């Protein structure tokens, strides 16, 4: 008689986001060494959302443990616009994060657009979002010295896939997901849709699933296009696309939701970015790798973005001097 405990051990490797976060932190520490003073991040909290407060506190802790300065400013909804404008012009502030939702309406998008683009650590400014969807990776064209800023949670998912070696580094940068088929369950404007676009821009075939339906994001046959295209898959559901996928990423904000793991391909890689546990325990019987949450990586990506803003600003500051003192050097380098 075999007792339930005789079940063979699962072959699934559970990868905690802490491992990926620590790996990225070493890169952040290298960047910090080049600065004279600790970067200063300001968090503006103007809602009563416990998730936002928790995220702010976790960010503060990570900042303080890693040589960054973090200040939380709690303000009322009525004062948030002025608080953003003040932080924009404060020379002691390098980066600004505003916690959403605040109004839960288009007013939130308005607030996203008034954060100074040189302090926008979350990459929510129009210029960064445009670059992301258009697959424009640099702010300075062919010079390619100033990297554009990508939104933190989508980028955290990408850093996880890089860490898991889903990205094939033998392929050229920009095509490293070629051959992978990825399902993203969530198509919100802040995470799911940008994530699907980024993965497709890197060469994957992406099925983006939301309650409104399924869309396919690709760069076309043989990656012929420079940026992704999107098609609606009328009548298709999660059930049709998940069996095709070697990677499944979930972000459903509900504790009731559980992903149907019987749909998974044997050995699929599963990542959950929702703060709820979207995968049931049985995911371990099917998946080769499982990442249950990614929050710690998101925060390190935020710090990495802050360093990038400072580096980009530094290059902007030296440009005019170089141009007047040594004409032609900029062209010569690019
Ligand atoms: N770990 C991290 O770094 C971060 C995690 N989050 C978490 O990710 C989750 C999603 O966040 P947002 O995208 O901002 O939320 P959101 O509420 O803006 O969007 C959720 C999307 O999921 C869709 N959805 C709901 N049920 C679904 C279902 N059964 N199948 C497919 N799609 C479904 C909704 O229609 C909506 O488009 C939340 O749990 C949030 O806390 C958000 C930001 C950062
Ligand atoms: N402008 C803005 N950007 C955001 O990214 C943003 C926001 N506003 N408002 C609030 C939500 C919420 N959010 C979370 C991030 C990480 C975890 C997180 O780290 N969760 C832990 C679990 C923590 C626990 O449950 O103990 C983890 O994934 O390991 C949770 C929630 C970001 N948000």
């Amino acid at each position: 008689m075999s007792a339930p405990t005789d079940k063979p051990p699962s072959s699934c490797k559970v990868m905690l986001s802490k491992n990926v976060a620590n790996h990225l932190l070493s890169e952040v520490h290298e960047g910090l060494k080049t600065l004279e003073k600790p970067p200063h991040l300001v968090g503006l909290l103007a809602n009563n959302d416990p998730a936002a407060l928790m995220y702010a506190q976790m960010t503060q802790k990570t900042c303080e443990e890693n040589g960054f300065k973090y200040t939380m400013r709690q303000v009322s909804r009525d004062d948030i616009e002025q608080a953003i404008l003040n932080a924009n012009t404060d020379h002691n502030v390098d980066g600004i994060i505003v916690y959403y939702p605040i109004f839960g309406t288009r007013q939130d998008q308005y607030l996203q657009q008034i954060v100074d683009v040189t302090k926008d650590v979350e990459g929510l400014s129009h210029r960064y979002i445009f670059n992301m969807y258009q697959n424009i990776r640099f702010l300075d064209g062919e010079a390619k010295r100033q990297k554009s800023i990508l939104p933190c949670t989508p980028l955290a998912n990408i850093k996880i896939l890089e860490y898991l070696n889903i990205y094939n580094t033998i392929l050229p940068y920009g095509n490293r997901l070629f051959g992978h088929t990825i399902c993203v369950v969530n198509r919100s404007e802040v995470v799911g849709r940008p994530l699907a676009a980024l993965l497709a821009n890197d060469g994957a075939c992406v099925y983006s699933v939301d309650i409104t339906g399924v869309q396919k994001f690709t760069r076309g046959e043989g990656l012929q296009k420079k940026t992704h295209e999107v098609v609606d898959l009328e009548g298709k559901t999660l059930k049709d696309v998940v069996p095709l996928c070697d990677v499944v990423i979930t972000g459903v904000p509900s504790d009731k939701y559980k992903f149907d793991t019987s749909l998974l391909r044997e050995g699929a890689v599963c990542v959950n970015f929702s703060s709820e546990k979207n995968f049931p325990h049985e995911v371990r019987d099917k998946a080769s790798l499982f990442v249950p949450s990614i929050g710690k990586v998101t925060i390190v990506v935020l710090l990495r973005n802050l360093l990038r803003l400072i580096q980009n600003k530094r290059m902007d500051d030296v440009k005019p001097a170089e141009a007047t003192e040594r004409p032609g050097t900029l062209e010569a380098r690019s």
Side-chain angles (χ1 to χ4, degrees):
M1 266 233 310
S2 66
T5 47
D6 290 344
K7 197 173 159 186
S10 145
S11 303
C12 174
K13 185 171 173 64
V14 178
M15 179 62 71
L16 299 179
S17 72
K18 178 176 77 192
N19 296 303
V20 191
N22 286 341
H23 173 79
L24 277 178
L25 265 177
S26 54
E27 190 188 319
V28 167
H29 290 156
E30 283 306 306
L32 267 183
K33 284 186 199 157
T34 66
L35 304 180
E36 284 126 38
K37 59 178 175 58
H40 183 196
L41 176 64
V42 165
L44 297 174
L45 190 59
N47 64 23
N48 295 318
D49 177 6
L53 179 62
M54 187 190 80
Y55 183 49
Q57 289 167 338
M58 283 173 44
T59 305
Q60 173 152 26
K61 186 161 172 279
T62 310
C63 280
E64 287 167 357
E65 287 169 357
N66 292 285
F68 286 74
K69 185 177 169 199
Y70 179 94
T71 312
M72 196 200 299
R73 294 186 185 157
Q74 282 187 278
V75 297
S76 72
R77 276 180 11 167
D78 296 338
D79 295 333
I80 183 67
E81 184 174 8
Q82 193 56 48
I84 295 172
L85 298 178
N86 291 347
N88 278 347
T89 51
D90 183 343
H91 294 301
N92 293 314
V93 175
D94 300 299
I96 302 169
I97 174 166
V98 183
Y99 298 99
Y100 295 102
I102 296 175
F103 294 95
T105 63
R106 285 189 59 186
Q107 202 167 341
D108 285 356
Q109 279 92 68
Y110 164 71
L111 294 173
Q112 284 167 4
Q113 298 312 320
I114 64 171
V115 172
D116 189 301
V117 67
T118 67
K119 298 190 180 185
D120 177 12
V121 284
E122 285 212 294
L124 298 174
S125 300
H126 179 76
R127 179 157 187 223
Y128 296 136
I129 294 178
F130 176 81
N131 285 349
M132 175 190 63
Y133 283 119
Q134 290 296 315
N135 203 9
I136 297 168
R137 300 191 180 212
F138 295 91
L139 297 169
D140 53 353
E142 281 305 305
K144 296 190 174 180
R145 291 168 10 135
Q146 293 176 306
K147 276 196 166 182
S148 196
I149 302 294
L150 292 171
C152 298
T153 308
L155 183 54
N157 278 283
I158 283 173
K159 289 291 156 194
I160 282 169
L161 298 187
E162 282 180 358
Y163 187 85
L164 300 178
N165 285 334
I166 310 295
Y167 274 74
N168 184 345
T169 52
I170 291 175
L171 294 173
Y173 172 75
N175 287 352
R176 290 180 174 168
L177 287 180
F178 192 24
H180 290 281
T181 307
I182 306 181
C183 180
V184 180
V185 189
N186 168 320
R187 197 165 51 246
S188 71
E189 280 306 307
V190 282
V191 194
R193 194 165 83 89
L195 176 58
L198 285 168
L199 297 170
N201 284 344
D202 277 336
C205 166
V206 183
Y207 293 104
S208 166
V209 179
D210 207 297
I211 48 179
T212 49
V214 181
Q215 294 180 341
K216 186 176 175 177
F217 289 56
T218 68
R219 270 177 42 211
E221 204 172 295
L223 308 186
Q224 281 163 4
K225 304 218 160 54
K226 272 204 166 67
T227 189
H228 66 282
E229 59 184 15
V230 183
V231 290
D232 267 305
L233 301 183
E234 302 268 340
K236 295 270 189 234
T237 69
L238 186 82
K239 287 188 168 47
D240 301 307
V241 297
V242 170
L244 308 173
C245 296
D246 58 322
V247 179
V248 175
I249 303 176
T250 58
V252 177
S254 158
D255 57 354
K256 306 278 182 302
Y257 178 84
K258 292 293 169 209
F259 187 89
D260 178 359
T261 57
S262 71
L263 298 172
L264 285 174
R265 216 169 98 170
E266 190 78 9
V269 172
C270 296
V271 179
N272 172 51
F273 68 77
S274 171
S275 35
E276 305 297 339
K277 292 185 169 67
N278 285 177
F279 286 103
H281 195 268
E282 307 85 85
V283 68
R284 290 161 176 79
D285 299 335
K286 274 290 203 56
S288 56
L289 283 161
F290 172 46
V291 185
S293 72
I294 73 155
K296 291 194 171 66
V297 181
T298 310
I299 293 173
V300 181
V301 166
L302 190 75
L303 302 185
R304 192 172 174 271
N305 275 358
L306 178 54
L307 284 178
R308 191 145 283 169
L309 287 172
I310 294 171
Q311 285 157 0
N312 287 348
K313 195 149 184 285
R314 223 197 241 161
M315 288 182 216
D316 271 343
D317 291 345
V318 295
K319 252 189 220 158
E322 281 187 350
T324 45
E325 285 166 25
R326 290 177 285 141
T329 46
L330 284 178
E331 285 80 1
R333 203 190 303 105
S334 60

